[in-house]
Short mmCIF file of all heavy atoms in Angstrom, two decimals:
data_model
loop_
_atom_site.label_atom_id
_atom_site.label_comp_id
_atom_site.label_asym_id
_atom_site.label_seq_id
_atom_site.Cartn_x
_atom_site.Cartn_y
_atom_site.Cartn_z
N GLN A 13 -37.86 -67.12 125.97
CA GLN A 13 -38.05 -68.58 126.15
C GLN A 13 -37.82 -69.02 127.54
O GLN A 13 -38.49 -70.00 128.04
CB GLN A 13 -37.12 -69.32 125.22
CG GLN A 13 -37.40 -69.19 123.75
CD GLN A 13 -36.61 -70.03 122.81
OE1 GLN A 13 -35.58 -70.57 123.33
NE2 GLN A 13 -37.02 -70.22 121.59
N THR A 14 -37.00 -68.29 128.28
CA THR A 14 -36.73 -68.68 129.67
C THR A 14 -37.99 -68.43 130.55
O THR A 14 -38.39 -69.31 131.36
CB THR A 14 -35.56 -67.86 130.19
OG1 THR A 14 -34.39 -68.13 129.52
CG2 THR A 14 -35.29 -68.16 131.76
N ILE A 15 -38.62 -67.33 130.33
CA ILE A 15 -39.85 -66.96 131.07
C ILE A 15 -40.93 -67.94 130.63
O ILE A 15 -41.64 -68.46 131.59
CB ILE A 15 -40.31 -65.48 130.76
CG1 ILE A 15 -39.29 -64.49 131.22
CG2 ILE A 15 -41.73 -65.24 131.19
CD1 ILE A 15 -39.53 -63.10 130.81
N ILE A 16 -41.09 -68.31 129.40
CA ILE A 16 -42.15 -69.22 129.06
C ILE A 16 -41.99 -70.58 129.64
O ILE A 16 -42.87 -71.24 130.18
CB ILE A 16 -42.23 -69.34 127.46
CG1 ILE A 16 -42.72 -67.99 126.87
CG2 ILE A 16 -43.26 -70.44 127.12
CD1 ILE A 16 -42.64 -67.98 125.33
N ASN A 17 -40.73 -71.03 129.67
CA ASN A 17 -40.43 -72.45 130.18
C ASN A 17 -40.46 -72.49 131.74
O ASN A 17 -40.89 -73.56 132.24
CB ASN A 17 -39.11 -72.86 129.67
CG ASN A 17 -39.14 -73.33 128.26
OD1 ASN A 17 -39.58 -74.36 127.90
ND2 ASN A 17 -38.57 -72.49 127.33
N ILE A 18 -40.19 -71.32 132.35
CA ILE A 18 -40.42 -71.35 133.82
C ILE A 18 -41.88 -71.43 134.10
O ILE A 18 -42.23 -72.18 135.10
CB ILE A 18 -39.79 -70.10 134.42
CG1 ILE A 18 -38.31 -70.05 134.42
CG2 ILE A 18 -40.34 -69.80 135.80
CD1 ILE A 18 -37.67 -71.00 135.43
N LEU A 19 -42.68 -70.73 133.38
CA LEU A 19 -44.15 -70.84 133.54
C LEU A 19 -44.64 -72.30 133.33
O LEU A 19 -45.44 -72.79 134.10
CB LEU A 19 -44.80 -69.88 132.56
CG LEU A 19 -46.39 -69.88 132.74
CD1 LEU A 19 -46.90 -69.43 134.03
CD2 LEU A 19 -46.94 -68.82 131.58
N ILE A 20 -44.11 -72.98 132.31
CA ILE A 20 -44.51 -74.31 131.99
C ILE A 20 -44.11 -75.17 133.09
O ILE A 20 -44.85 -76.12 133.54
CB ILE A 20 -43.97 -74.75 130.67
CG1 ILE A 20 -44.70 -74.09 129.46
CG2 ILE A 20 -44.06 -76.34 130.46
CD1 ILE A 20 -44.03 -74.42 128.14
N LEU A 21 -42.93 -74.97 133.70
CA LEU A 21 -42.52 -75.81 134.87
C LEU A 21 -43.40 -75.71 136.06
O LEU A 21 -43.77 -76.70 136.71
CB LEU A 21 -41.10 -75.47 135.22
CG LEU A 21 -40.01 -75.97 134.27
CD1 LEU A 21 -38.64 -75.28 134.47
CD2 LEU A 21 -39.80 -77.39 134.47
N VAL A 22 -43.83 -74.43 136.40
CA VAL A 22 -44.73 -74.32 137.42
C VAL A 22 -46.03 -74.98 137.16
O VAL A 22 -46.64 -75.65 138.07
CB VAL A 22 -44.93 -72.72 137.68
CG1 VAL A 22 -46.06 -72.46 138.75
CG2 VAL A 22 -43.68 -72.07 138.14
N GLU A 23 -46.58 -74.83 135.95
CA GLU A 23 -47.91 -75.40 135.62
C GLU A 23 -47.74 -76.99 135.63
O GLU A 23 -48.71 -77.64 136.07
CB GLU A 23 -48.28 -74.92 134.19
CG GLU A 23 -48.66 -73.52 134.20
CD GLU A 23 -48.76 -72.92 132.82
OE1 GLU A 23 -48.23 -73.55 131.89
OE2 GLU A 23 -49.31 -71.81 132.66
N MET A 24 -46.56 -77.52 135.18
CA MET A 24 -46.45 -78.96 135.23
C MET A 24 -46.48 -79.49 136.70
O MET A 24 -46.92 -80.67 136.86
CB MET A 24 -45.21 -79.42 134.46
CG MET A 24 -45.31 -79.32 132.99
SD MET A 24 -46.75 -80.37 132.27
CE MET A 24 -47.83 -79.08 131.82
N VAL A 25 -45.93 -78.75 137.63
CA VAL A 25 -46.05 -79.21 138.98
C VAL A 25 -47.53 -79.30 139.40
O VAL A 25 -47.91 -80.28 140.03
CB VAL A 25 -45.26 -78.25 139.98
CG1 VAL A 25 -45.56 -78.50 141.44
CG2 VAL A 25 -43.74 -78.31 139.63
N LEU A 26 -48.31 -78.28 139.07
CA LEU A 26 -49.70 -78.28 139.38
C LEU A 26 -50.47 -79.43 138.72
O LEU A 26 -51.33 -80.00 139.34
CB LEU A 26 -50.31 -76.95 139.08
CG LEU A 26 -49.66 -75.71 139.82
CD1 LEU A 26 -50.34 -74.39 139.35
CD2 LEU A 26 -49.87 -75.81 141.31
N VAL A 27 -50.13 -79.66 137.40
CA VAL A 27 -50.84 -80.66 136.70
C VAL A 27 -50.38 -82.04 137.24
O VAL A 27 -51.30 -82.96 137.36
CB VAL A 27 -50.43 -80.60 135.22
CG1 VAL A 27 -51.07 -81.72 134.47
CG2 VAL A 27 -50.99 -79.24 134.62
N SER A 28 -49.25 -82.20 137.69
CA SER A 28 -48.75 -83.55 138.29
C SER A 28 -49.57 -83.78 139.58
O SER A 28 -49.96 -84.88 139.87
CB SER A 28 -47.22 -83.47 138.57
OG SER A 28 -46.55 -83.43 137.36
N MET A 29 -49.77 -82.72 140.37
CA MET A 29 -50.58 -82.86 141.55
C MET A 29 -52.01 -83.22 141.24
O MET A 29 -52.69 -84.04 141.95
CB MET A 29 -50.50 -81.53 142.38
CG MET A 29 -49.11 -81.30 142.94
SD MET A 29 -48.94 -79.60 143.63
CE MET A 29 -50.02 -79.81 145.10
N MET A 30 -52.58 -82.60 140.24
CA MET A 30 -53.90 -82.92 139.80
C MET A 30 -54.01 -84.34 139.33
O MET A 30 -54.97 -85.06 139.55
CB MET A 30 -54.38 -81.86 138.73
CG MET A 30 -55.79 -82.08 138.27
SD MET A 30 -56.29 -80.98 136.92
CE MET A 30 -55.99 -79.37 137.62
N ALA A 31 -52.94 -84.78 138.54
CA ALA A 31 -53.08 -86.19 138.03
C ALA A 31 -52.84 -87.12 139.20
O ALA A 31 -53.50 -88.19 139.14
CB ALA A 31 -51.86 -86.35 137.06
N GLN A 32 -52.07 -86.81 140.21
CA GLN A 32 -51.91 -87.62 141.31
C GLN A 32 -53.28 -87.84 141.99
O GLN A 32 -53.61 -88.99 142.48
CB GLN A 32 -50.89 -87.10 142.36
CG GLN A 32 -50.63 -87.90 143.53
CD GLN A 32 -49.65 -87.22 144.46
OE1 GLN A 32 -49.99 -86.22 145.10
NE2 GLN A 32 -48.42 -87.73 144.52
N SER A 33 -54.06 -86.79 142.11
CA SER A 33 -55.38 -86.88 142.64
C SER A 33 -56.31 -87.68 141.82
O SER A 33 -57.07 -88.48 142.30
CB SER A 33 -55.94 -85.49 142.95
OG SER A 33 -57.33 -85.50 143.34
N ALA A 34 -56.20 -87.46 140.46
CA ALA A 34 -57.19 -88.19 139.58
C ALA A 34 -56.91 -89.64 139.54
O ALA A 34 -57.86 -90.49 139.41
CB ALA A 34 -57.01 -87.56 138.17
N TYR A 35 -55.66 -90.10 139.62
CA TYR A 35 -55.27 -91.46 139.46
C TYR A 35 -55.31 -92.23 140.78
O TYR A 35 -54.80 -93.44 140.90
CB TYR A 35 -53.92 -91.64 138.82
CG TYR A 35 -54.03 -91.44 137.27
CD1 TYR A 35 -53.85 -90.12 136.77
CD2 TYR A 35 -54.30 -92.43 136.48
CE1 TYR A 35 -53.99 -89.88 135.39
CE2 TYR A 35 -54.42 -92.25 135.05
CZ TYR A 35 -54.20 -90.99 134.60
OH TYR A 35 -54.28 -90.69 133.20
N ARG A 36 -55.87 -91.62 141.84
CA ARG A 36 -56.12 -92.34 143.09
C ARG A 36 -57.20 -93.39 143.04
O ARG A 36 -57.23 -94.39 143.69
CB ARG A 36 -56.31 -91.39 144.24
CG ARG A 36 -55.16 -90.59 144.72
CD ARG A 36 -55.48 -89.68 145.89
NE ARG A 36 -54.35 -89.00 146.34
CZ ARG A 36 -54.35 -88.08 147.30
NH1 ARG A 36 -55.45 -87.78 147.91
NH2 ARG A 36 -53.18 -87.49 147.73
N THR A 37 -58.15 -93.14 142.13
CA THR A 37 -59.24 -93.99 141.95
C THR A 37 -59.06 -94.71 140.58
O THR A 37 -58.42 -94.23 139.68
CB THR A 37 -60.57 -93.25 141.95
OG1 THR A 37 -60.49 -92.18 140.94
CG2 THR A 37 -60.87 -92.68 143.24
N PRO A 38 -59.61 -95.94 140.43
CA PRO A 38 -60.65 -96.54 141.30
C PRO A 38 -60.10 -97.70 142.22
O PRO A 38 -60.81 -98.29 142.98
CB PRO A 38 -61.53 -97.20 140.28
CG PRO A 38 -60.59 -97.65 139.20
CD PRO A 38 -59.45 -96.59 139.17
N ILE A 39 -58.78 -98.04 142.09
CA ILE A 39 -58.32 -99.25 142.68
C ILE A 39 -58.05 -99.23 144.16
O ILE A 39 -58.13 -100.24 144.80
CB ILE A 39 -57.08 -99.66 141.87
CG1 ILE A 39 -57.35 -99.80 140.37
CG2 ILE A 39 -56.52 -101.05 142.38
CD1 ILE A 39 -58.44 -100.77 140.06
N GLN A 40 -57.73 -98.02 144.70
CA GLN A 40 -57.16 -98.04 146.05
C GLN A 40 -58.29 -98.63 147.06
O GLN A 40 -57.92 -99.39 147.95
CB GLN A 40 -56.80 -96.63 146.47
CG GLN A 40 -56.45 -96.45 147.97
CD GLN A 40 -55.48 -95.35 148.21
OE1 GLN A 40 -55.24 -94.55 147.35
NE2 GLN A 40 -54.97 -95.34 149.45
N VAL A 41 -59.42 -98.17 146.89
CA VAL A 41 -60.51 -98.64 147.78
C VAL A 41 -60.73 -100.09 147.76
O VAL A 41 -60.83 -100.77 148.75
CB VAL A 41 -61.96 -97.90 147.51
CG1 VAL A 41 -62.99 -98.43 148.34
CG2 VAL A 41 -61.74 -96.44 147.71
N GLN A 42 -60.63 -100.71 146.59
CA GLN A 42 -60.74 -102.07 146.35
C GLN A 42 -59.58 -102.87 147.04
O GLN A 42 -59.88 -103.80 147.69
CB GLN A 42 -60.86 -102.47 144.89
CG GLN A 42 -62.01 -101.88 144.17
CD GLN A 42 -62.01 -102.13 142.70
OE1 GLN A 42 -61.19 -102.91 142.22
NE2 GLN A 42 -62.87 -101.47 142.01
N VAL A 43 -58.37 -102.35 146.97
CA VAL A 43 -57.29 -102.98 147.57
C VAL A 43 -57.29 -102.97 149.08
O VAL A 43 -57.03 -103.88 149.82
CB VAL A 43 -55.90 -102.37 147.06
CG1 VAL A 43 -54.77 -102.87 147.83
CG2 VAL A 43 -55.72 -102.65 145.54
N ASP A 44 -57.78 -101.75 149.57
CA ASP A 44 -57.96 -101.63 151.05
C ASP A 44 -58.94 -102.69 151.52
O ASP A 44 -58.77 -103.26 152.63
CB ASP A 44 -58.35 -100.18 151.41
CG ASP A 44 -57.27 -99.25 151.20
OD1 ASP A 44 -56.05 -99.67 151.07
OD2 ASP A 44 -57.47 -97.94 151.12
N GLU A 45 -59.97 -102.87 150.79
CA GLU A 45 -61.09 -103.85 151.21
C GLU A 45 -60.44 -105.21 151.21
O GLU A 45 -60.76 -105.97 152.07
CB GLU A 45 -62.26 -103.72 150.27
CG GLU A 45 -63.07 -102.46 150.50
CD GLU A 45 -64.19 -102.35 149.47
OE1 GLU A 45 -64.23 -103.14 148.55
OE2 GLU A 45 -65.02 -101.37 149.54
N VAL A 46 -59.63 -105.56 150.24
CA VAL A 46 -59.03 -106.88 150.16
C VAL A 46 -58.09 -107.03 151.27
O VAL A 46 -58.04 -108.16 151.97
CB VAL A 46 -58.27 -107.01 148.79
CG1 VAL A 46 -57.46 -108.31 148.81
CG2 VAL A 46 -59.21 -107.11 147.67
N ASN A 47 -57.27 -106.00 151.67
CA ASN A 47 -56.39 -106.09 152.85
C ASN A 47 -57.15 -106.35 154.10
O ASN A 47 -56.75 -107.04 155.00
CB ASN A 47 -55.56 -104.88 152.96
CG ASN A 47 -54.59 -104.70 151.75
OD1 ASN A 47 -54.18 -105.74 151.19
ND2 ASN A 47 -54.15 -103.52 151.48
N LYS A 48 -58.33 -105.66 154.24
CA LYS A 48 -59.14 -105.81 155.42
C LYS A 48 -59.67 -107.26 155.57
O LYS A 48 -59.68 -107.85 156.58
CB LYS A 48 -60.33 -104.82 155.42
CG LYS A 48 -59.89 -103.38 155.73
CD LYS A 48 -61.13 -102.50 155.66
CE LYS A 48 -60.70 -101.03 155.87
NZ LYS A 48 -61.92 -100.18 155.81
N ASP A 49 -60.12 -107.83 154.37
CA ASP A 49 -60.59 -109.16 154.38
C ASP A 49 -59.52 -110.15 154.82
O ASP A 49 -59.71 -111.11 155.48
CB ASP A 49 -61.11 -109.54 153.04
CG ASP A 49 -62.34 -108.76 152.66
OD1 ASP A 49 -63.02 -108.23 153.56
OD2 ASP A 49 -62.68 -108.59 151.43
N LYS A 50 -58.26 -109.89 154.32
CA LYS A 50 -57.13 -110.68 154.65
C LYS A 50 -56.80 -110.72 156.15
O LYS A 50 -56.52 -111.68 156.79
CB LYS A 50 -55.85 -110.31 153.81
CG LYS A 50 -55.98 -110.73 152.41
CD LYS A 50 -54.72 -110.25 151.67
CE LYS A 50 -54.79 -110.71 150.16
NZ LYS A 50 -53.47 -110.29 149.43
N GLU A 51 -56.93 -109.45 156.64
CA GLU A 51 -56.66 -109.30 158.17
C GLU A 51 -57.64 -109.96 158.98
O GLU A 51 -57.40 -110.65 160.00
CB GLU A 51 -56.58 -107.78 158.51
CG GLU A 51 -55.36 -107.08 157.94
CD GLU A 51 -55.41 -105.57 158.27
OE1 GLU A 51 -56.32 -105.15 158.90
OE2 GLU A 51 -54.48 -104.89 157.87
N ILE A 52 -58.91 -109.88 158.54
CA ILE A 52 -60.01 -110.63 159.28
C ILE A 52 -59.79 -112.12 159.16
O ILE A 52 -60.02 -112.85 160.08
CB ILE A 52 -61.37 -110.22 158.67
CG1 ILE A 52 -61.61 -108.73 158.97
CG2 ILE A 52 -62.52 -111.12 159.28
CD1 ILE A 52 -62.88 -108.17 158.30
N THR A 53 -59.37 -112.61 157.99
CA THR A 53 -59.18 -114.04 157.82
C THR A 53 -58.01 -114.51 158.69
O THR A 53 -58.05 -115.55 159.30
CB THR A 53 -58.82 -114.35 156.35
OG1 THR A 53 -59.81 -113.88 155.47
CG2 THR A 53 -58.63 -115.82 156.08
#
C-alpha cells in the first residue's frame, strides 16, 4: 500500500499541473482585455 500510494501522489502532482493548464482558459484573455481597456480609458 505504501508503494501504491506513493505512485498516486506522484501522479496527482502531474494531474494538478495538467488541471492548472486546462483551467487557464477561457477567462484570462477576457480579463486581460478588460484591464487593457481600463488602462486606455
Side-chain angles (χ1 to χ4, degrees):
Q13 289 187 348
T14 301
I15 292 172
I16 294 174
N17 284 285
I18 288 290
L19 179 61
I20 289 176
L21 283 166
V22 174
E23 292 166 344
M24 284 302 108
V25 170
L26 299 177
V27 176
S28 293
M29 296 172 64
M30 185 184 299
Q32 186 182 68
S33 173
Y35 283 89
R36 285 180 178 177
T37 55
I39 303 302
Q40 176 154 7
V41 175
Q42 298 176 8
V43 171
D44 289 343
E45 290 176 353
V46 171
N47 290 336
K48 288 179 182 180
D49 293 339
K50 288 182 178 179
E51 291 177 2
I52 293 172
T53 304

